[in-house]
Amino acid sequence: MIYHEHFDVIVVGGGHAGTEAALAAARMGMNTLLLTHNMDTLGQMSCNPAIGGIGKGHLVKEIDALGGAMAKAIDKGGIQFRTLNSSKGPAVRATRAQADRVLYKAEIQTILQNQDNLKIFQQSCDDLIVEQDKVKGVVTQMGLRFSAHSVVLTVGTFLGGQIHIGMENFKGGRAGDPPSIALADRLRELPFRVDRLKTGTPPRIDARTVDFSVMQAQPGDTPTPTFSFMGKQSDHPQQIPCYITYTNEKTHDVIRENLHRSPMYAGVIEGIGPRYCPSIEDKIVRFADKDKHQIFVEPEGLTSYELYPNGISTSLPFDVQLHIVQSIKGFENAHICRPGYAIEYDFFDPRDLKQSLETKFINGLFFAGQINGTTGYEEAGAQGLIAGMNAALQIQGKDAWTPRRDQAYTGVLIDDLATLGTKEPYRMFTSRAEYRLLLREDNADLRLTEKGRELGLVDDERWAAFNNKLEVMEQEAQRLKATWIHKDHPAIDQVNALLKTPLTREASLEDLIRRPEINYHDLTGIEGLGSDATNIQALEQVEIQTKYAGYIARQQDEINKQLRHEESLLPKEFDYSQVSGLSNEVVAKLTDARPDTIGQASRISGITPAAISLLLVYLKKQG
Ligand code: FAD
């Protein structure tokens, strides 16, 4: 049967990528369908109930700056909020929140259900309709055919999903969900490069069987940070602590004695796992000299007894899992309510994608999320938003847009994927970005909201709040420039008390804030020197922009220089062997990767600055 309605965009999969993709397309006015296995699992967190962290928090803020849902949902569903790296510079500060997974999911579902232009349909997608290299729609498990201009695939870990617990293994998309086998088979018929990856999750523990008194409590920050630029502390539900405990020699002995029963070490699992999020058996092997590993004991929610022991992801057999858990301080009598497991799944080489996340071989077909070799809700959400938005832009007949590396971590993520590909599950770190000082969590809105508004992603309420913030920032910056402290100023003694050496000539508040020993809050806390404005975000922004002005300007200069080459286009069918001086290896790498720009070419591993110069000279000669 053919469904009567034609859609502009169909998004397949209601995980983190699918949610943002569907919402973005719908916000841009596209008639959008979200087709997913199960409406009850929309917004489900497959693994640990937490959002953000180093690098990932930046992505969440960027999604929010472009009008997405993730930050709003975690503000409503977060039960412990922290600012990581709070003692370090603003570039690497990151927000992280423990989530009540039920509240998080409920908020995502509310946002989806209230989005104009968006319909949801529960059914598995088993096939794609492709005619002459153009996607035309999808076919569901019961044979229902939906037609669309564009399709965004966001099917996560479900393609050919195989779950492993010890030597037992069975098909599944994640625990409790079916895999996508028919769709995986269909995609393997298309000309994409496909491979296998794996990820894992720890056993879940019943809190009623845990002795918290022997663990270290870790409360959230006060005041609680918010994720969304539109968020308020009053959005947060009740806050509760996490706990910390450790593995010990006994735990490590149990693991060593049973390594032969690990599907990974016995060679049953072929997919490569996340290096930065290893299983406990991996940690024991790779860091054999360590006598303990930290475990964050994280509540799964306010109304749940389940705990997530972060740090002991495993695919060892259940009896070994039980021994591991009960060897740990505080878990001696623990009951496991869900076994840990590993999952292997298909992913597609993201080098077969354009920067817009449209596939290079099938027009109108976009991939986003774990299907592109990434891991993490935030990485998935950011890609989803860009894919949904670019699907919409294509329909509107407009140029695709993806933020550049100097504009957003989302740009770094997509450029890394599309240019370099990945051999292991890719997660975001601040170290992946070369312009960290500019790509801060706190300025994600300044970097992206205006563009989001132009694209149709940002609603009136956010736009008004953003403009108000800009106004307050401008007023505060002017006030700091215009307020002078001189020897007869009533606050001179208090100001001098903050300085290493007393003022010898007059100085503006702006000058003073740039001094290393001066803190904005201490200075503006002096009576008569504070701002009347109540917009904390705006004041914080002025503080950072003033304090780091020199560094920021230097980084901007570097970007401007780099940009001159970054966007020089390389012809599509370029024959690299024509460029004299390029080694065979470089020619092979460039021919394989087919970069769109000189900037992309320069980031391919093994492509030296000398090779880039040869390319530039050749292109210049060609005119
Ligand atoms: P998912 O969240 O997996 O969503 C996919 C959606 O597509 C689901 O709703 C599914 O029902 C639907 N779907 C699939 N196939 C079809 C179909 N054919 N038709 C219709 N609907 C379909 N991330 C980390 O950052 N750290 C970790 O330690 C970590 N561990 C993990 C452990 C496990 C066991 C799993 C399963 C995941 C883990 N992750 C981890 C990854 C994280 O869950 C994913 O990166 C993230 O959920 C990916 O989002 P997504 O939107 O791409 O896919």
Side-chain angles (χ1 to χ4, degrees), residues 490-516:
I492 185 72
D493 291 339
Q494 285 158 287
V495 170
N496 277 337
L498 298 175
L499 294 170
K500 273 196 190 132
T501 50
L503 278 182
T504 50
R505 53 193 158 114
E506 69 173 354
S508 69
L509 291 182
E510 185 191 52
D511 297 334
L512 290 169
I513 287 166
R514 293 212 174 123
R515 295 194 176 197

PDB file of all heavy atoms in Angstrom, residues 490-516:
ATOM      1  N   PRO A 490      35.574  57.433  44.901  1.00  0.00           N
ATOM      2  CA  PRO A 490      35.203  56.922  46.240  1.00  0.00           C
ATOM      3  C   PRO A 490      35.590  55.446  46.459  1.00  0.00           C
ATOM      4  O   PRO A 490      35.747  55.029  47.606  1.00  0.00           O
ATOM      5  CB  PRO A 490      33.674  57.091  46.292  1.00  0.00           C
ATOM      6  CG  PRO A 490      33.253  57.693  44.996  1.00  0.00           C
ATOM      7  CD  PRO A 490      34.457  58.033  44.179  1.00  0.00           C
ATOM      8  N   ALA A 491      35.769  54.673  45.356  1.00  0.00           N
ATOM      9  CA  ALA A 491      36.062  53.243  45.534  1.00  0.00           C
ATOM     10  C   ALA A 491      37.560  52.937  45.410  1.00  0.00           C
ATOM     11  O   ALA A 491      37.952  51.770  45.370  1.00  0.00           O
ATOM     12  CB  ALA A 491      35.279  52.429  44.510  1.00  0.00           C
ATOM     13  N   ILE A 492      38.406  54.005  45.362  1.00  0.00           N
ATOM     14  CA  ILE A 492      39.821  53.775  45.056  1.00  0.00           C
ATOM     15  C   ILE A 492      40.497  52.787  46.030  1.00  0.00           C
ATOM     16  O   ILE A 492      41.271  51.921  45.623  1.00  0.00           O
ATOM     17  CB  ILE A 492      40.616  55.125  44.965  1.00  0.00           C
ATOM     18  CG1 ILE A 492      42.069  54.893  44.519  1.00  0.00           C
ATOM     19  CG2 ILE A 492      40.600  55.872  46.276  1.00  0.00           C
ATOM     20  CD1 ILE A 492      42.218  54.519  43.095  1.00  0.00           C
ATOM     21  N   ASP A 493      40.164  52.915  47.314  1.00  0.00           N
ATOM     22  CA  ASP A 493      40.852  52.032  48.280  1.00  0.00           C
ATOM     23  C   ASP A 493      40.468  50.579  48.059  1.00  0.00           C
ATOM     24  O   ASP A 493      41.313  49.679  48.110  1.00  0.00           O
ATOM     25  CB  ASP A 493      40.505  52.451  49.716  1.00  0.00           C
ATOM     26  CG  ASP A 493      41.134  53.800  50.036  1.00  0.00           C
ATOM     27  OD1 ASP A 493      42.106  54.155  49.320  1.00  0.00           O
ATOM     28  OD2 ASP A 493      40.643  54.489  50.949  1.00  0.00           O
ATOM     29  N   GLN A 494      39.172  50.363  47.805  1.00  0.00           N
ATOM     30  CA  GLN A 494      38.726  48.972  47.576  1.00  0.00           C
ATOM     31  C   GLN A 494      39.339  48.410  46.288  1.00  0.00           C
ATOM     32  O   GLN A 494      39.706  47.249  46.227  1.00  0.00           O
ATOM     33  CB  GLN A 494      37.197  48.902  47.501  1.00  0.00           C
ATOM     34  CG  GLN A 494      36.537  49.034  48.871  1.00  0.00           C
ATOM     35  CD  GLN A 494      35.118  49.489  48.717  1.00  0.00           C
ATOM     36  OE1 GLN A 494      34.868  50.651  48.397  1.00  0.00           O
ATOM     37  NE2 GLN A 494      34.183  48.562  48.902  1.00  0.00           N
ATOM     38  N   VAL A 495      39.442  49.257  45.267  1.00  0.00           N
ATOM     39  CA  VAL A 495      40.053  48.798  44.003  1.00  0.00           C
ATOM     40  C   VAL A 495      41.527  48.483  44.238  1.00  0.00           C
ATOM     41  O   VAL A 495      42.021  47.422  43.852  1.00  0.00           O
ATOM     42  CB  VAL A 495      39.889  49.869  42.895  1.00  0.00           C
ATOM     43  CG1 VAL A 495      40.723  49.500  41.667  1.00  0.00           C
ATOM     44  CG2 VAL A 495      38.428  50.021  42.513  1.00  0.00           C
ATOM     45  N   ASN A 496      42.230  49.393  44.933  1.00  0.00           N
ATOM     46  CA  ASN A 496      43.658  49.157  45.201  1.00  0.00           C
ATOM     47  C   ASN A 496      43.880  47.867  45.971  1.00  0.00           C
ATOM     48  O   ASN A 496      44.880  47.180  45.769  1.00  0.00           O
ATOM     49  CB  ASN A 496      44.259  50.338  45.957  1.00  0.00           C
ATOM     50  CG  ASN A 496      44.661  51.449  44.994  1.00  0.00           C
ATOM     51  OD1 ASN A 496      44.897  51.177  43.802  1.00  0.00           O
ATOM     52  ND2 ASN A 496      44.725  52.674  45.482  1.00  0.00           N
ATOM     53  N   ALA A 497      42.920  47.560  46.844  1.00  0.00           N
ATOM     54  CA  ALA A 497      43.059  46.332  47.659  1.00  0.00           C
ATOM     55  C   ALA A 497      43.056  45.078  46.777  1.00  0.00           C
ATOM     56  O   ALA A 497      43.571  44.033  47.173  1.00  0.00           O
ATOM     57  CB  ALA A 497      41.932  46.260  48.683  1.00  0.00           C
ATOM     58  N   LEU A 498      42.489  45.197  45.576  1.00  0.00           N
ATOM     59  CA  LEU A 498      42.448  44.029  44.670  1.00  0.00           C
ATOM     60  C   LEU A 498      43.703  43.944  43.798  1.00  0.00           C
ATOM     61  O   LEU A 498      43.946  42.928  43.153  1.00  0.00           O
ATOM     62  CB  LEU A 498      41.221  44.114  43.750  1.00  0.00           C
ATOM     63  CG  LEU A 498      39.841  44.093  44.399  1.00  0.00           C
ATOM     64  CD1 LEU A 498      38.778  44.316  43.323  1.00  0.00           C
ATOM     65  CD2 LEU A 498      39.597  42.779  45.118  1.00  0.00           C
ATOM     66  N   LEU A 499      44.474  45.027  43.784  1.00  0.00           N
ATOM     67  CA  LEU A 499      45.606  45.087  42.847  1.00  0.00           C
ATOM     68  C   LEU A 499      46.926  44.716  43.527  1.00  0.00           C
ATOM     69  O   LEU A 499      47.082  44.885  44.735  1.00  0.00           O
ATOM     70  CB  LEU A 499      45.729  46.526  42.307  1.00  0.00           C
ATOM     71  CG  LEU A 499      44.576  46.988  41.434  1.00  0.00           C
ATOM     72  CD1 LEU A 499      44.693  48.485  41.168  1.00  0.00           C
ATOM     73  CD2 LEU A 499      44.579  46.230  40.111  1.00  0.00           C
ATOM     74  N   LYS A 500      47.877  44.257  42.703  1.00  0.00           N
ATOM     75  CA  LYS A 500      49.207  43.935  43.242  1.00  0.00           C
ATOM     76  C   LYS A 500      49.913  45.215  43.681  1.00  0.00           C
ATOM     77  O   LYS A 500      50.538  45.265  44.722  1.00  0.00           O
ATOM     78  CB  LYS A 500      50.030  43.228  42.160  1.00  0.00           C
ATOM     79  CG  LYS A 500      49.815  41.735  42.148  1.00  0.00           C
ATOM     80  CD  LYS A 500      50.941  41.072  41.350  1.00  0.00           C
ATOM     81  CE  LYS A 500      50.618  39.622  41.107  1.00  0.00           C
ATOM     82  NZ  LYS A 500      50.823  39.244  39.719  1.00  0.00           N
ATOM     83  N   THR A 501      49.818  46.225  42.793  1.00  0.00           N
ATOM     84  CA  THR A 501      50.383  47.540  43.164  1.00  0.00           C
ATOM     85  C   THR A 501      49.300  48.599  42.946  1.00  0.00           C
ATOM     86  O   THR A 501      48.553  48.518  41.955  1.00  0.00           O
ATOM     87  CB  THR A 501      51.579  47.888  42.243  1.00  0.00           C
ATOM     88  OG1 THR A 501      51.185  47.694  40.892  1.00  0.00           O
ATOM     89  CG2 THR A 501      52.788  47.034  42.545  1.00  0.00           C
ATOM     90  N   PRO A 502      49.198  49.564  43.870  1.00  0.00           N
ATOM     91  CA  PRO A 502      48.112  50.559  43.763  1.00  0.00           C
ATOM     92  C   PRO A 502      48.168  51.325  42.443  1.00  0.00           C
ATOM     93  O   PRO A 502      49.234  51.453  41.841  1.00  0.00           O
ATOM     94  CB  PRO A 502      48.382  51.503  44.945  1.00  0.00           C
ATOM     95  CG  PRO A 502      49.343  50.797  45.824  1.00  0.00           C
ATOM     96  CD  PRO A 502      50.075  49.776  45.021  1.00  0.00           C
ATOM     97  N   LEU A 503      47.027  51.837  42.038  1.00  0.00           N
ATOM     98  CA  LEU A 503      46.938  52.589  40.774  1.00  0.00           C
ATOM     99  C   LEU A 503      47.771  53.868  40.869  1.00  0.00           C
ATOM    100  O   LEU A 503      47.679  54.584  41.856  1.00  0.00           O
ATOM    101  CB  LEU A 503      45.487  52.991  40.499  1.00  0.00           C
ATOM    102  CG  LEU A 503      44.546  51.975  39.871  1.00  0.00           C
ATOM    103  CD1 LEU A 503      43.178  52.614  39.648  1.00  0.00           C
ATOM    104  CD2 LEU A 503      45.109  51.489  38.534  1.00  0.00           C
ATOM    105  N   THR A 504      48.566  54.111  39.821  1.00  0.00           N
ATOM    106  CA  THR A 504      49.327  55.360  39.811  1.00  0.00           C
ATOM    107  C   THR A 504      48.676  56.374  38.876  1.00  0.00           C
ATOM    108  O   THR A 504      48.889  57.564  38.962  1.00  0.00           O
ATOM    109  CB  THR A 504      50.784  55.113  39.368  1.00  0.00           C
ATOM    110  OG1 THR A 504      50.737  54.360  38.161  1.00  0.00           O
ATOM    111  CG2 THR A 504      51.564  54.381  40.437  1.00  0.00           C
ATOM    112  N   ARG A 505      47.911  55.857  37.903  1.00  0.00           N
ATOM    113  CA  ARG A 505      47.136  56.787  37.070  1.00  0.00           C
ATOM    114  C   ARG A 505      45.771  56.166  36.800  1.00  0.00           C
ATOM    115  O   ARG A 505      45.567  54.973  37.055  1.00  0.00           O
ATOM    116  CB  ARG A 505      47.856  57.143  35.785  1.00  0.00           C
ATOM    117  CG  ARG A 505      48.290  55.958  34.983  1.00  0.00           C
ATOM    118  CD  ARG A 505      49.270  56.436  33.905  1.00  0.00           C
ATOM    119  NE  ARG A 505      50.069  55.326  33.479  1.00  0.00           N
ATOM    120  CZ  ARG A 505      50.032  54.794  32.268  1.00  0.00           C
ATOM    121  NH1 ARG A 505      49.244  55.284  31.350  1.00  0.00           N
ATOM    122  NH2 ARG A 505      50.794  53.778  31.963  1.00  0.00           N
ATOM    123  N   GLU A 506      44.874  56.977  36.263  1.00  0.00           N
ATOM    124  CA  GLU A 506      43.502  56.464  36.177  1.00  0.00           C
ATOM    125  C   GLU A 506      43.388  55.298  35.186  1.00  0.00           C
ATOM    126  O   GLU A 506      44.156  55.199  34.227  1.00  0.00           O
ATOM    127  CB  GLU A 506      42.506  57.586  35.857  1.00  0.00           C
ATOM    128  CG  GLU A 506      42.601  58.179  34.496  1.00  0.00           C
ATOM    129  CD  GLU A 506      41.465  59.160  34.220  1.00  0.00           C
ATOM    130  OE1 GLU A 506      40.544  59.296  35.045  1.00  0.00           O
ATOM    131  OE2 GLU A 506      41.498  59.778  33.146  1.00  0.00           O
ATOM    132  N   ALA A 507      42.440  54.444  35.488  1.00  0.00           N
ATOM    133  CA  ALA A 507      42.244  53.265  34.639  1.00  0.00           C
ATOM    134  C   ALA A 507      40.749  52.986  34.521  1.00  0.00           C
ATOM    135  O   ALA A 507      39.975  53.255  35.455  1.00  0.00           O
ATOM    136  CB  ALA A 507      42.927  52.053  35.273  1.00  0.00           C
ATOM    137  N   SER A 508      40.348  52.483  33.364  1.00  0.00           N
ATOM    138  CA  SER A 508      38.917  52.145  33.203  1.00  0.00           C
ATOM    139  C   SER A 508      38.661  50.770  33.810  1.00  0.00           C
ATOM    140  O   SER A 508      39.604  49.990  34.013  1.00  0.00           O
ATOM    141  CB  SER A 508      38.549  52.133  31.722  1.00  0.00           C
ATOM    142  OG  SER A 508      39.187  51.029  31.099  1.00  0.00           O
ATOM    143  N   LEU A 509      37.403  50.472  34.054  1.00  0.00           N
ATOM    144  CA  LEU A 509      37.059  49.135  34.566  1.00  0.00           C
ATOM    145  C   LEU A 509      37.527  48.076  33.567  1.00  0.00           C
ATOM    146  O   LEU A 509      37.981  47.009  33.943  1.00  0.00           O
ATOM    147  CB  LEU A 509      35.546  49.015  34.793  1.00  0.00           C
ATOM    148  CG  LEU A 509      34.957  49.843  35.939  1.00  0.00           C
ATOM    149  CD1 LEU A 509      33.453  49.561  36.060  1.00  0.00           C
ATOM    150  CD2 LEU A 509      35.649  49.571  37.246  1.00  0.00           C
ATOM    151  N   GLU A 510      37.411  48.386  32.279  1.00  0.00           N
ATOM    152  CA  GLU A 510      37.863  47.440  31.246  1.00  0.00           C
ATOM    153  C   GLU A 510      39.354  47.134  31.417  1.00  0.00           C
ATOM    154  O   GLU A 510      39.771  45.967  31.412  1.00  0.00           O
ATOM    155  CB  GLU A 510      37.602  48.026  29.863  1.00  0.00           C
ATOM    156  CG  GLU A 510      37.920  47.079  28.737  1.00  0.00           C
ATOM    157  CD  GLU A 510      37.905  47.763  27.382  1.00  0.00           C
ATOM    158  OE1 GLU A 510      38.581  48.796  27.225  1.00  0.00           O
ATOM    159  OE2 GLU A 510      37.224  47.255  26.483  1.00  0.00           O
ATOM    160  N   ASP A 511      40.171  48.202  31.605  1.00  0.00           N
ATOM    161  CA  ASP A 511      41.618  47.994  31.807  1.00  0.00           C
ATOM    162  C   ASP A 511      41.858  47.110  33.017  1.00  0.00           C
ATOM    163  O   ASP A 511      42.702  46.218  32.994  1.00  0.00           O
ATOM    164  CB  ASP A 511      42.345  49.324  32.077  1.00  0.00           C
ATOM    165  CG  ASP A 511      42.271  50.283  30.900  1.00  0.00           C
ATOM    166  OD1 ASP A 511      42.124  49.787  29.775  1.00  0.00           O
ATOM    167  OD2 ASP A 511      42.348  51.509  31.134  1.00  0.00           O
ATOM    168  N   LEU A 512      41.117  47.404  34.069  1.00  0.00           N
ATOM    169  CA  LEU A 512      41.352  46.680  35.327  1.00  0.00           C
ATOM    170  C   LEU A 512      41.016  45.192  35.190  1.00  0.00           C
ATOM    171  O   LEU A 512      41.754  44.335  35.673  1.00  0.00           O
ATOM    172  CB  LEU A 512      40.520  47.312  36.455  1.00  0.00           C
ATOM    173  CG  LEU A 512      40.993  48.702  36.881  1.00  0.00           C
ATOM    174  CD1 LEU A 512      39.966  49.360  37.801  1.00  0.00           C
ATOM    175  CD2 LEU A 512      42.355  48.630  37.568  1.00  0.00           C
ATOM    176  N   ILE A 513      39.925  44.910  34.475  1.00  0.00           N
ATOM    177  CA  ILE A 513      39.506  43.498  34.346  1.00  0.00           C
ATOM    178  C   ILE A 513      40.548  42.704  33.567  1.00  0.00           C
ATOM    179  O   ILE A 513      40.752  41.520  33.812  1.00  0.00           O
ATOM    180  CB  ILE A 513      38.112  43.418  33.684  1.00  0.00           C
ATOM    181  CG1 ILE A 513      37.072  43.878  34.703  1.00  0.00           C
ATOM    182  CG2 ILE A 513      37.778  42.002  33.204  1.00  0.00           C
ATOM    183  CD1 ILE A 513      35.731  44.162  34.116  1.00  0.00           C
ATOM    184  N   ARG A 514      41.259  43.357  32.681  1.00  0.00           N
ATOM    185  CA  ARG A 514      42.292  42.656  31.888  1.00  0.00           C
ATOM    186  C   ARG A 514      43.494  42.286  32.736  1.00  0.00           C
ATOM    187  O   ARG A 514      44.302  41.465  32.341  1.00  0.00           O
ATOM    188  CB  ARG A 514      42.734  43.527  30.711  1.00  0.00           C
ATOM    189  CG  ARG A 514      41.593  43.673  29.729  1.00  0.00           C
ATOM    190  CD  ARG A 514      42.058  43.812  28.307  1.00  0.00           C
ATOM    191  NE  ARG A 514      40.881  43.799  27.467  1.00  0.00           N
ATOM    192  CZ  ARG A 514      40.543  44.759  26.608  1.00  0.00           C
ATOM    193  NH1 ARG A 514      41.333  45.795  26.455  1.00  0.00           N
ATOM    194  NH2 ARG A 514      39.449  44.674  25.901  1.00  0.00           N
ATOM    195  N   ARG A 515      43.622  42.895  33.906  1.00  0.00           N
ATOM    196  CA  ARG A 515      44.771  42.552  34.757  1.00  0.00           C
ATOM    197  C   ARG A 515      44.563  41.151  35.336  1.00  0.00           C
ATOM    198  O   ARG A 515      43.464  40.815  35.794  1.00  0.00           O
ATOM    199  CB  ARG A 515      44.889  43.555  35.910  1.00  0.00           C
ATOM    200  CG  ARG A 515      45.194  44.947  35.401  1.00  0.00           C
ATOM    201  CD  ARG A 515      45.628  45.792  36.549  1.00  0.00           C
ATOM    202  NE  ARG A 515      46.009  47.119  36.065  1.00  0.00           N
ATOM    203  CZ  ARG A 515      46.732  47.957  36.777  1.00  0.00           C
ATOM    204  NH1 ARG A 515      47.152  47.634  37.975  1.00  0.00           N
ATOM    205  NH2 ARG A 515      47.036  49.129  36.286  1.00  0.00           N
ATOM    206  N   PRO A 516      45.625  40.345  35.338  1.00  0.00           N
ATOM    207  CA  PRO A 516      45.477  38.946  35.762  1.00  0.00           C
ATOM    208  C   PRO A 516      44.947  38.791  37.189  1.00  0.00           C
ATOM    209  O   PRO A 516      44.186  37.869  37.479  1.00  0.00           O
ATOM    210  CB  PRO A 516      46.892  38.369  35.645  1.00  0.00           C
ATOM    211  CG  PRO A 516      47.773  39.454  35.178  1.00  0.00           C
ATOM    212  CD  PRO A 516      46.973  40.669  34.885  1.00  0.00           C
TER     213      PRO A 516
END
